[in-house]
Amino acid sequence: MATYEPVIGLEVHAELLTESKMFCPCAVVDATSAAPNQHICPVCTAQPGALPVINRQAVEYAMMVGLALNCQINRFNQFSRKSYFYPDLPKGYQITQYEHPIASNGWLDIEVAGSDGQVISKRIGIRRAHMEEDTGKSTHVGDASLVDLNRAGVPLLEIVSEPDFRSVEEIEAYARKLRSILQYLGVNHGDMSKGVLRFEANVSVREAGSNVLNTRTEIKNLNSIRSMVRASRFEIARQTEVYENGGEVKQQTLGFNEVTGETRSQRSKETASDYRYFPEPDLPPLMIDPAWVDELRAKLPELPDAKRGRFVTAFGLSEDDAAVLVSDKAIADYYETGLKAKGDPQKLANWITIELFRYLNEANLEITDLKVGPAQLVALINMVEDGQINNNTAKDVLAIMLEDGREAAPIVEEKGWGLISDTSELEAIIDNLIEGNPDPVHSYLGGKEGLLGWFIGQVMKETKGQADAALVRDLFAKKFDTLREQS
Amino acid sequence: MTDLTSLTIMQAGQKLAAAEMTSVELTRAYLDRIEAVEPQVQAFITITAEQALEQAQQADERRKKGEKGPLLGIPLAYKDVVTTLGVETTCGSRILEGYKPPYTATAVRFLEEAGAVMLGKLNMDEFAMGSSTENSGYKITRNPWDLERVPGGSSGGSAAAVAARMAAGTLGSDTGGSIRQPASLSGVVGLKPAYGRVSRYGLVAYSSSLDQIGPFAHTVEDVALLLEVIAGHDPRDSTSMQTADTGFASSLKQDLKGLRVGVPREFFIEGIEKDVESAVRRAIEKLAELGAAIIEISLPHTQYALPTYYLTATAECSANLARFDGIRYGPREQAGNVLETYRKTRGEMFGAEVKRRIMLGTYALSAGYYDAYYLKAQKIRTLIKRDFDEAFRQVDVIAAPASPTTAFKIGEKVDDPLQMYLNDIFTLSTNLAGICGLSVPCGFDQAGLPIGMQLLGPGFSADRPNAGEALILRAGHAYQHATDWREKTPAL
């Protein structure tokens, strides 16, 4: 039987977190928490006679994304009206870029596992990115519907990929990387629970190795990367089954049911809306000065790939460690702040990717939620380096720090967890051991030097692990030297 | 004592400045006049008497504190298509009945800042769609010169209010002739500024790329004073021009020596009334007597203006009027679901002409028809604009009739939309080209109905030092100064 491969293209709608909305001075706020209809004005509520004015910051943000995605920034920009009726679309049309988007013809390299398990890089084409305005939010309560226009007019950038994806792993890698780039650029915080990133997947399947593009379906309103992956996986399986049974896939728009994990038809092509696009007469064409583009290009922050490369070459991190650290800007920021506090690059990386990540996973938190800042973590790591505590103690100290946010040193002191580096105290223990264990002492002096480990272990046992192991080793060495001379 | 309402804005301003009267007295005179003749004329949808007297009092106080200005304390009224904070703004439509805007249109705000007094809001064809003001959802405004006839439209209330001396000046809006045609039919002066001269913020959109606010008054001089205040860049309107052009009023002093006046042969066609043609031709001769050089010109794409206009304007209006859905403001005809609510609200609250234009525009923008209709219209629009560019290389202003007819009878054309549309045949191309146009009274027909001459001037251009409005106002003023048509007034 033939095997099938998916062909997927993605549309990502990213809210641009500008100070004000796309076409009016209203503040852009968290639509999931702000009191409804507080951030509205004549323009975004479509009062008769009100007119849109383009937000310069939104255009800049859009260009920054375009540049980060290796797009050409188009000089001639035009907005159009996309007409349809819905209560959360106040004007009865959405202002969007249709024929003349701000950015086009770009690409993004993603990393995915190859067939042999090796990480390989794959280039995904970016067809275009265009600016538009968000709609309001409808809430259905019983037989009534409530409309909140806080979100109406918030700038959106729609980023449209080429149908270059051949697996759900690829779309996931792409979405995560794109999200991370938007965070690095500071144009979107990437918190999908706030609805600032939304996805649409165009999915078709075909016999593996074929070049045909089969009929695709469009899965709309996917509110997280996880939903997008689940919905696409379901849809690939559904279409594959249709073909395996000799059927035909119907072109249609699908919704995704989070509960059942299934896609379902919203409307078929036959009843597709005619949006009646035409150029927005209230906004003259926007001409982008190439000097403006150059200025932004020069100001672009370091992006994840560049940062990863730098972490590898400058700090000797492994590709894997570097990739994990740069995947989320907040984590990379945490790491780099820690470095500034004189943290050792490798040890800091280890503590973040092992200890902190474990805690974040268990507590279901983001790194920005931590009570322990990077400088505090570095101070803890340095206590281990300086021999004030050992590694295991440090983990216990960190657990307390994560709970109450205190510094490491007072915790160590309070708990009395500092290493015993008092020579006389340790000498007394060592003398006792030597006196009480004549046989092993004899064996050691007779040449069984491997027994040193046993002696050190006994001291550790006696001190509940708080002895400074290096110091104990030195003290034993001296003691045995003296005994040798005496005998 | 002379009737204060017979004063021009200029004269009234001088009397106010000389403390020969107060704005309260002047405003009272207008309110009395409204009380006396409004029942016959029906120009107003809303009369804001109380507010007007308050504003007049404030104007008087400002003047006492030393403030000056030609519009300080002058009573005006506005077409009901511009928003006025807290004062009902209906656009002549039932779908906005009771709607009190949360903000004031920029042009009105500029007038308020200059100290103008608002007497009320004026009747119009619903959403400025019409040429007779018969399409109002509220009332039919009558022509003060003959109450059986229309005042023209869509700014019929604005023209009639000035003609009947119910306001010293008014604002209208002109999308395809809606200022110049009623000015012509009602025997007053009306100016459509070049596109981008006056902010459209707060002008309820009919056709965004064609709409422009403009003033009505008895004299060209008064119209220039009003333009001076309402013109200027507005950061809230991206289509309003960044320009330093002012001095419209002072440009009037120049005579017409050397002014080149173009007469387009395409504007003197079959279908134009004999009296109209001869009056306009005599007016052009008068311009020549005043020193202007008369040059015959051609605007070869004029015949395409009507279909081009009706595709462009209806396409834009189909989107512009989508917001009137009964959800956020205006009356709602609640039905079982949202689609039915839309259908019922829009079906019952919009008038026939508005629905006709929305349907036309929806069709012109539909998939499969866009290229053949909307897109082709835009291409022809470019050709029409080029005609004018070409003409204005040869001449400074263009003179033509404002309307092919004088005022027609109420009901005469309501059943024949095409006949109604043809009444705007001489004004549509101005809006398509974005240039400016003025209608100045230039005589009467045998029935004693007023006739208007239209003067067209260039729009914005980087290489043209003078505003087109300054040229046409100068020509209109010189003409008005040399003629006495203004002495005849409607007998009400």
Side-chain angles (χ1 to χ4, degrees):
Chain A
M1 195 183 268
T3 55
Y4 290 85
E5 68 171 8
V7 176
I8 307 173
L10 285 185
E11 292 170 26
V12 179
H13 297 253
E15 280 192 358
L16 297 176
L17 298 180
T18 46
E19 281 166 48
S20 55
K21 292 185 181 179
M22 187 72 220
F23 300 115
C24 65
C26 292
V28 171
V29 296
D30 176 3
T32 59
S33 64
N37 295 314
Q38 297 303 301
H39 302 275
I40 56 173
C41 74
V43 176
C44 58
T45 59
Q47 296 297 309
L51 297 172
V53 177
I54 299 168
N55 178 343
R56 184 185 169 90
Q57 192 183 24
V59 177
E60 285 206 345
Y61 281 7
M63 287 198 282
M64 284 160 66
V65 176
L67 290 170
L69 298 178
N70 308 291
C71 291
Q72 82 188 45
I73 303 300
N74 297 312
R75 189 173 162 78
F76 183 86
N77 276 260
Q78 191 172 48
F79 288 91
S80 289
R81 292 181 180 180
K82 176 184 181 178
S83 289
Y84 66 96
F85 282 100
Y86 203 69
D88 61 21
L89 185 70
K91 293 188 293 297
Y93 56 85
Q94 179 192 35
I95 304 178
T96 177
Q97 292 191 298
Y98 183 54
E99 286 179 289
H100 299 282
I102 183 99
S104 49
N105 298 324
W107 47 263
L108 179 63
D109 286 338
I110 58 168
E111 287 73 38
V112 283
S115 48
D116 56 357
Q118 284 290 96
V119 171
I120 55 164
S121 179
K122 175 166 177 173
R123 180 155 294 186
I124 303 299
I126 307 287
R127 184 176 294 170
R128 56 185 274 163
H130 66 258
M131 295 178 277
E132 58 188 30
E133 56 176 340
D134 212 341
T135 62
K137 268 173 52 179
S138 298
T139 311
H140 306 288
V141 184
D143 60 356
S145 292
L146 304 173
V147 177
D148 174 12
L149 295 179
N150 282 345
R151 202 181 69 180
V154 167
L156 275 183
L157 189 68
E158 180 171 335
I159 303 157
V160 183
S161 85
E162 296 293 346
D164 287 348
F165 302 100
R166 297 290 175 270
S167 69
V168 288
E169 288 74 21
E170 289 177 7
I171 57 175
E172 178 164 9
Y174 170 86
R176 294 208 180 282
K177 187 147 189 186
L178 184 56
R179 172 173 177 262
S180 150
I181 288 173
L182 297 173
Q183 289 175 324
Y184 273 71
L185 293 171
V187 303
N188 181 296
H189 57 58
D191 185 349
M192 289 174 288
S193 69
K194 306 288 190 195
V196 297
L197 275 180
R198 292 164 344 235
F199 305 88
E200 277 175 38
N202 295 303
V203 179
S204 65
V205 302
R206 66 185 178 195
E207 281 191 26
S210 157
N211 279 324
V212 297
L213 283 176
N214 281 334
T215 305
R216 65 185 167 84
T217 58
E218 190 179 345
I219 318 171
K220 281 194 175 291
N221 297 322
L222 299 166
N223 291 321
S224 67
I225 294 175
R226 194 175 119 81
S227 295
M228 179 187 72
V229 167
R230 285 175 71 205
S232 301
R233 187 171 281 139
F234 177 88
E235 184 59 15
I236 292 163
R238 188 189 71 81
Q239 291 187 18
T240 303
E241 199 182 314
V242 169
Y243 286 123
E244 281 173 346
N245 292 332
E248 283 296 318
V249 168
K250 207 170 68 168
Q251 182 167 348
Q252 58 188 329
T253 301
L254 304 170
F256 178 61
N257 185 325
E258 299 275 354
V259 180
T260 63
E262 295 178 358
T263 58
R264 65 189 185 289
S265 181
Q266 287 192 325
R267 60 166 182 263
S268 63
K269 181 76 172 142
E270 290 75 38
T271 57
S273 296
D274 179 356
Y275 292 123
R276 304 190 305 281
Y277 287 98
F278 74 103
E280 166 57 284
D282 286 332
L283 297 170
L286 173 69
M287 304 302 284
I288 304 287
D289 184 349
W292 191 14
V293 181
D294 291 342
E295 192 186 312
L296 288 173
R297 197 192 309 270
K299 282 199 307 201
L300 276 190
E302 185 183 42
L303 294 170
D305 281 353
K307 199 180 280 287
R308 191 187 61 204
R310 183 165 61 82
F311 283 2
V312 171
T313 50
F315 307 132
L317 299 189
S318 70
E319 282 283 349
D320 281 356
D321 279 354
V324 169
L325 289 174
V326 304
S327 65
D328 183 329
K329 176 157 191 295
I331 294 168
D333 286 348
Y334 191 99
Y335 179 67
E336 293 198 277
T337 311
L339 290 180
K340 282 197 192 109
K342 303 222 183 329
D344 173 81
Q346 185 61 56
K347 294 209 163 68
L348 180 59
N350 293 346
W351 276 86
I352 292 174
T353 57
I354 300 166
E355 298 306 324
L356 288 191
F357 278 15
R358 177 190 300 136
Y359 174 75
L360 292 175
N361 268 335
E362 284 165 4
N364 197 20
L365 290 174
E366 297 292 323
I367 198 156
T368 45
D369 302 327
L370 288 183
K371 289 179 181 164
V372 177
Q376 288 170 284
L377 178 63
V378 167
L380 174 69
I381 297 170
N382 287 347
M383 286 182 82
V384 179
E385 295 311 295
D386 297 344
Q388 298 174 49
I389 51 174
N390 67 31
N391 219 47
N392 285 334
T393 308
K395 290 177 191 172
D396 295 338
V397 175
L398 179 62
I400 296 169
M401 292 168 73
L402 289 166
E403 288 310 313
D404 65 15
R406 279 191 293 159
E407 301 286 333
I411 295 171
V412 169
E413 184 158 340
E414 180 195 295
K415 297 282 183 188
W417 286 348
L419 288 186
I420 299 166
S421 43
D422 181 334
T423 315
S424 56
E425 190 180 332
L426 290 174
E427 270 176 340
I429 295 168
I430 288 167
D431 289 345
N432 275 341
L433 270 171
I434 288 174
E435 252 182 66
N437 296 284
D439 289 351
V441 171
H442 188 74
S443 300
Y444 180 88
L445 292 176
K448 281 190 134 182
E449 297 199 348
L451 279 168
L452 180 59
W454 180 84
F455 282 107
I456 295 171
Q458 292 306 303
V459 177
M460 293 316 245
K461 211 169 157 186
E462 197 82 4
T463 60
K464 296 193 177 103
Q466 286 178 295
D468 181 336
L471 183 59
V472 172
R473 178 183 296 268
D474 284 352
L475 291 173
F476 266 119
K478 273 188 203 152
K479 280 281 173 213
F480 285 134
D481 283 349
T482 317
L483 286 174
R484 224 179 250 120
E485 279 161 29
Q486 287 169 355
S487 61
Chain B
M1 184 174 153
T2 56
D3 185 346
L4 297 180
T5 63
S6 64
L7 298 170
T8 66
I9 293 175
M10 184 66 97
Q11 291 163 342
Q14 284 161 354
K15 276 187 178 293
L16 287 167
E20 290 169 30
M21 66 174 175
T22 65
S23 173
V24 170
E25 286 164 354
L26 183 63
T27 302
R28 280 229 168 83
Y30 275 107
L31 290 172
D32 290 347
R33 175 73 183 170
I34 290 169
E35 207 176 312
V37 303
E38 170 63 6
Q40 294 160 269
V41 180
Q42 301 282 304
F44 284 84
I45 292 179
T46 304
I47 298 166
T48 51
E50 209 169 300
Q51 191 176 330
L53 287 168
E54 272 170 37
Q55 287 182 338
Q57 200 164 354
Q58 283 163 15
D60 286 335
E61 279 161 22
R62 281 166 69 174
R63 196 176 286 281
K64 260 186 227 153
K65 287 181 186 147
E67 203 173 317
K68 292 187 176 97
L71 298 185
L72 184 57
I74 301 293
L76 305 175
Y78 311 129
K79 187 178 183 179
D80 212 17
V81 75
V82 291
T83 59
T84 41
L85 173 71
V87 175
E88 188 173 354
T89 300
T90 67
C91 298
S93 180
R94 290 286 171 192
I95 210 161
L96 278 176
E97 192 166 7
Y99 172 66
K100 290 181 177 173
Y103 75 108
T104 294
T106 299
V108 173
R109 182 166 58 82
F110 284 166
L111 289 169
E112 283 177 353
E113 284 165 9
V117 169
M118 179 174 79
L119 296 165
K121 304 293 291 290
L122 298 160
N123 197 26
M124 57 185 283
D125 284 305
E126 184 177 8
F127 287 106
M129 298 178 193
S131 309
S132 67
T133 315
E134 290 163 290
N135 294 337
S136 168
Y138 296 89
K139 52 175 68 170
I140 291 174
T141 298
R142 294 169 184 266
N143 191 318
W145 295 87
D146 178 348
L147 297 172
E148 298 302 306
R149 292 177 186 266
V150 303
S154 66
S155 311
S158 304
V162 170
R165 293 190 283 114
M166 291 193 283
T170 59
L171 289 187
S173 70
D174 190 317
T175 306
S178 280
I179 289 175
R180 292 157 291 156
Q181 185 258 15
S184 174
L185 269 52
S186 299
V188 298
V189 181
L191 171 71
K192 182 209 104 70
Y195 186 78
R197 175 70 67 199
V198 180
S199 170
R200 291 186 298 112
Y201 191 73
L203 167 61
V204 181
Y206 157 26
S207 177
S208 313
S209 74
L210 301 167
D211 295 341
Q212 192 68 192
I213 293 174
F216 287 89
H218 287 289
T219 65
V220 173
E221 198 171 40
D222 285 358
V223 156
L225 286 176
L226 290 166
L227 177 66
E228 189 104 17
V229 171
I230 62 175
H233 177 66
D234 178 6
R236 289 191 181 90
D237 174 5
S238 305
T239 64
S240 85
M241 294 290 171
Q242 296 269 11
T243 166
D245 286 330
T246 51
F248 299 113
S250 58
S251 70
L252 303 184
K253 295 190 181 81
Q254 247 186 303
D255 65 26
L256 298 193
K257 290 213 173 60
L259 188 80
R260 298 167 302 168
V261 176
V263 179
R265 66 177 75 100
E266 291 82 0
F267 279 55
F268 293 86
I269 49 161
E270 221 177 302
I272 179 172
E273 284 177 2
K274 279 271 166 310
D275 289 355
V276 171
E277 175 165 1
S278 55
V280 173
R281 287 209 184 275
R282 275 199 305 278
I284 292 167
E285 278 163 31
K286 188 63 157 182
L287 294 175
E289 279 171 39
L290 294 168
I294 309 300
I295 300 160
E296 194 184 334
I297 59 163
S298 173
L299 297 165
H301 295 93
T302 300
Q303 58 173 313
Y304 302 112
L306 188 92
T308 303
Y309 172 86
Y310 277 98
L311 287 169
T312 305
T314 59
E316 291 183 13
C317 95
S318 72
N320 280 331
L321 272 62
R323 68 186 61 193
F324 303 107
D325 55 8
I327 301 293
R328 294 168 312 288
Y329 40 72
R332 181 191 305 173
E333 291 292 326
Q334 189 75 46
N337 60 51
V338 71
L339 188 62
E340 282 309 311
T341 300
Y342 288 153
R343 281 202 178 126
K344 226 169 149 215
T345 302
R346 291 167 65 84
E348 289 179 18
M349 299 294 168
F350 280 143
E353 183 62 27
V354 169
K355 283 190 262 192
R356 177 159 36 237
R357 295 195 194 190
I358 290 173
M359 283 189 280
L360 263 171
T362 304
Y363 186 79
L365 290 175
S366 296
Y369 298 100
Y370 179 88
D371 288 0
Y373 295 117
Y374 179 81
L375 198 60
K376 175 150 287 170
Q378 298 322 299
K379 289 175 180 169
I380 298 169
R381 185 173 180 180
T382 303
L383 297 177
I384 289 169
K385 193 172 178 325
R386 279 192 200 147
D387 280 359
F388 281 105
D389 288 345
E390 186 54 41
F392 286 122
R393 274 192 272 276
Q394 302 168 54
V395 300
D396 299 306
V397 302
I398 293 169
S403 167
T405 71
T406 52
F408 44 92
K409 286 246 166 72
I410 289 167
E412 191 181 324
K413 298 186 180 186
V414 279
D415 295 328
D416 189 345
L418 203 58
Q419 267 308 307
M420 191 71 94
Y421 295 174
L422 282 168
N423 213 256
D424 292 329
I425 193 85
F426 297 141
T427 48
L428 299 170
S429 56
T430 312
N431 303 69
L432 291 167
I435 62 173
C436 56
L438 178 74
S439 179
V440 192
C442 71
F444 298 89
D445 70 2
Q446 285 175 1
L449 296 168
I451 297 166
M453 167 170 65
Q454 184 178 208
L455 293 165
L456 302 177
F460 286 89
S461 165
D463 56 2
R464 202 185 306 279
N466 294 314
E469 289 89 338
L471 291 167
I472 56 177
L473 289 168
R474 176 182 150 203
H477 177 68
Y479 174 77
Q480 208 172 29
H481 203 68
T483 53
D484 57 2
W485 305 115
R486 224 177 72 67
E487 283 170 21
K488 194 174 167 192
T489 56
L492 275 171

